[in-house]
Amino acid sequence: MAEEVGGDGCGWMPNVVDFQDFLPVMAEKLGGENFMAELCNGFRLLADEAAGAITFGSLKKNAAFLGLQNMTDDELSAMIKEGDFDGDGQLNEREFCILMVRMSPTMMAEAEEWLDQALAEELNDVIGEDQSERFPFLRV
């Protein structure tokens, strides 16, 4: 799997794998259910067991493991805030998984395409196929 994300297209891979390039390949190889299970495993590796969430402290403790050892406390806090949808100052499993997908431009583009298609199909169902002739931009 790793050689598929090589920077030169020939299988060469730099010492550090860019998460944004690697995540879509991982998702494709594992399939949806297994991919989500791996994200959840990643969450458990980073989470504070007592809190059941990724806290500032657990992220700071694992920063070197993630290659983030040079990040400041403010930068680490900003990472938590980026994914903290409920405002509790930490990342639960759902927030972590959403954040990981959001960090991948490729996966976000695919999600946007799926959403566009689903909305167009729903709109066709609502207005009917006969009306879609009047509005060709709404066709799926």
Side-chain angles (χ1 to χ4, degrees):
M1 184 173 5
E3 52 274 350
E4 294 182 37
V5 294
D8 66 359
C10 298
W12 176 85
M13 187 158 146
N15 291 334
V16 177
V17 175
D18 184 349
F19 170 82
Q20 294 176 358
D21 291 334
F22 192 64
L23 193 63
V25 173
M26 188 174 142
E28 183 179 326
K29 291 289 185 187
L30 294 174
E33 195 172 310
N34 290 332
F35 172 68
M36 290 307 298
E38 285 303 313
L39 282 181
C40 292
N41 286 338
F43 169 80
R44 284 189 286 281
L45 286 172
L46 300 174
D48 176 305
E49 281 189 46
I54 298 173
T55 62
F56 170 78
S58 69
L59 183 59
K60 185 170 178 142
K61 179 178 130 189
N62 292 301
F65 172 71
L66 298 171
L68 306 174
Q69 63 273 10
N70 295 326
M71 293 187 79
T72 66
D73 286 357
D74 287 342
E75 290 169 326
L76 292 172
S77 291
M79 288 180 71
I80 297 280
K81 287 178 187 172
E82 177 71 25
D84 183 17
F85 297 119
D86 61 13
D88 65 356
Q90 52 192 12
L91 298 177
N92 62 38
E93 189 174 72
R94 181 173 175 245
E95 291 169 330
F96 172 78
C97 291
I98 291 169
L99 181 61
M100 293 300 97
V101 171
R102 284 181 51 214
M103 288 175 60
S104 170
T106 302
M107 293 191 82
M108 285 304 295
E110 290 173 3
E112 188 173 329
E113 288 174 24
W114 297 331
L115 179 60
D116 288 345
Q117 183 174 2
L119 290 172
E121 288 173 2
E122 183 70 22
L123 192 55
N124 280 340
D125 289 346
V126 170
I127 66 171
E129 287 295 322
D130 57 322
Q131 294 295 320
S132 69
E133 292 300 319
R134 291 181 47 204
F135 307 103
F137 57 90
L138 298 177
R139 285 192 208 128
V140 180

